[in-house]
Amino acid sequence: SKLAVFSLLFLFSLLLSFRLDETIEWSYWVVFFPLWLWKTLAIVGAMTGIAVWCKQPNHSAEDRVLFKSMLISFFFIMDLFAFELMLCANLSGAEIPFRIVFIPLFLISPLGILACIWAFRNERSIEFETLVVINILQYIFLALQLDGIIDWHWVHVFIPLWIVLGMFGLVIIYYIIWSIIYLRSGSMGDEQRKYYVYSSMLATVAWASLLAFQILLSGRLDKRNKFYFSAVLAPLNITLLTIVFSSFGQKGGNPWWFGLKENPWEILLNKCPCLQEYGNVKFTLGWRTSREEQSDDRPQRQKKQQKENLSSIGKCVVAEVKLDMPD
């Protein structure tokens, strides 16, 4: 889910920067297409999950918690969808007051508190809802500034974001310290050490890029610099790419999205016996030793021909193919 969402956000950020710089003259409805695709995936995934839930009775307690978690996330995504529709309409020429445009975000912020409490009690991780809750004051400042009710410098309008970024900075420093401790610890394996160092590095890059974006954006809106928006949004794009890279290797999200209760690759193997038989291949790469060469009983002419063929490629790598046949 993270890979799909942040990849689409990265594409939207690129299109938006090109549109603001007038490099492209597309309609904002086209520029917002990655966000529409995200919401379409969410709608299809949630409807499929609800249909599978209704079709399969007798669910366990863990399934009920996961299903409720999907419904909460779906509600927040649809609320964000309403905000994006009104924002895109305003950018396209409509004159909707921004106090009305931000109403969906005003509504889900207090509900996000209840969602976070529920997630904490049920040991569920809800990241999107947490971000919505902590930025409620920022939504109010943005709506008042865009409607002209307040006339502050943008660096002051973004005070709530500066506070949030400062808090994230403290968390990252704490995370880096623990990564150094784990790196010097002899009780942990090499893979665990690499994981903590890798995660702390990605988190640092994402936070620093986001801070640079915030500084450039406030300066651009206050007319202290005249950078192109593509340059202003470049640090944000780095942050999104960093999150995309960090999503590789992570466990899957809620299995009730699209009604998938197991790994999709396992489902594919179970549905396609030919893949289960011929796709389950294990390769073992290694160098042929001199003892193996001596024990090779192939004809001398065949071995000589193989050496001549391999000499044009370079070094010799022997691949041992093993098929794990199904029961």
Side-chain angles (χ1 to χ4, degrees):
S1 58
K2 277 188 177 182
L3 178 62
V5 169
F6 285 99
S7 297
L8 293 174
L9 286 176
F10 171 73
L11 180 58
F12 166 70
S13 178
L14 287 179
L15 295 177
L16 182 62
S17 62
F18 294 153
R19 180 63 178 85
L20 294 176
D21 288 336
E22 298 183 353
T23 304
I24 58 177
E25 297 182 356
W26 299 351
S27 170
Y28 278 102
W29 295 100
V30 178
V31 172
F32 275 64
F33 173 76
L35 299 184
W36 310 145
L37 182 57
W38 170 19
K39 304 309 181 295
T40 302
L41 290 173
I43 293 173
V44 174
M47 294 299 103
T48 306
I50 293 173
V52 173
W53 173 270
C54 297
K55 186 179 179 181
Q56 299 177 357
N58 302 324
H59 299 285
S60 63
E62 182 180 1
D63 284 341
R64 288 194 290 269
V65 171
L66 292 173
F67 183 73
K68 291 178 182 178
S69 177
M70 184 198 70
L71 293 180
I72 292 173
S73 297
F74 179 65
F75 172 77
F76 275 77
I77 291 174
M78 289 299 98
D79 210 279
L80 182 62
F81 185 34
F83 163 74
E84 292 168 355
L85 286 174
M86 290 189 287
L87 178 62
C88 186
N90 258 14
L91 293 174
S92 299
E95 297 182 356
I96 307 174
F98 281 95
R99 298 187 299 277
I100 298 178
V101 173
F102 278 84
I103 282 179
L105 299 183
F106 297 154
L107 291 177
I108 61 175
S109 295
L111 295 177
I113 299 176
L114 299 178
C116 292
I117 295 175
W118 178 88
F120 179 77
R121 294 182 59 182
N122 291 275
E123 299 181 353
R124 291 293 302 168
S125 175
I126 300 183
E127 300 175 357
F128 173 68
E129 290 77 1
T130 305
L131 293 176
V132 171
V133 170
I134 62 179
N135 285 312
I136 175 62
L137 192 59
Q138 184 63 77
Y139 307 144
I140 297 174
F141 286 176
L142 285 174
L144 296 178
Q145 177 77 359
L146 292 172
D147 282 338
I149 298 177
I150 59 176
D151 188 16
W152 298 352
H153 292 292
W154 282 96
V155 68
H156 300 148
V157 174
F158 289 135
I159 285 178
L161 276 181
W162 299 124
I163 297 175
V164 172
L165 287 175
M167 294 172 58
F168 283 166
L170 294 177
V171 173
I172 290 174
I173 293 174
Y174 172 82
Y175 198 70
I176 292 174
I177 293 174
W178 274 105
S179 299
I180 296 174
I181 294 175
Y182 288 145
L183 185 62
R184 299 178 62 88
S185 175
S187 59
M188 301 183 64
D190 293 337
E191 293 298 328
Q192 289 180 314
R193 297 179 191 177
K194 291 179 181 179
Y195 171 77
Y196 284 112
V197 173
Y198 174 74
S199 300
S200 62
M201 290 176 60
L202 287 180
T204 303
V205 171
W207 175 81
S209 301
L210 194 59
L211 179 61
F213 161 72
Q214 192 66 32
I215 294 172
L216 292 175
L217 179 62
S218 60
R220 180 67 173 81
L221 296 177
D222 284 333
K223 299 181 179 180
R224 293 196 304 270
N225 62 61
K226 297 181 180 180
F227 296 148
Y228 288 108
F229 279 99
S230 56
V232 172
L233 293 176
L236 177 62
N237 295 333
I238 295 175
T239 299
L240 295 174
L241 280 178
T242 303
I243 299 176
V244 169
F245 290 145
S246 66
S247 65
F248 289 104
Q250 292 188 358
K251 295 181 178 180
N254 195 319
W256 280 103
W257 289 102
F258 294 96
L260 297 176
K261 299 205 57 183
E262 55 182 319
N263 192 305
W265 305 113
E266 295 179 359
I267 296 176
L268 183 62
L269 286 175
N270 292 332
K271 297 295 182 181
C272 303
C274 60
L275 288 179
Q276 188 179 20
E277 183 172 355
Y278 299 108
N280 188 16
V281 180
K282 178 182 178 182
F283 291 91
T284 303
L285 300 179
W287 300 103
R288 185 180 294 276
T289 61
S290 59
R291 180 176 299 178
E292 291 173 339
E293 291 178 351
Q294 293 174 1
S295 61
D296 197 348
D297 56 354
R298 291 176 300 170
Q300 293 293 331
R301 181 178 300 177
Q302 183 179 354
K303 289 191 288 184
K304 182 178 179 181
Q305 182 65 30
Q306 184 183 15
K307 290 181 179 179
E308 292 177 354
N309 294 335
L310 291 173
S311 62
S312 61
I313 301 175
K315 296 181 178 180
C316 174
V317 178
V318 178
E320 177 187 0
V321 181
K322 297 180 180 179
L323 287 177
D324 296 333
M325 301 300 293
D327 295 335

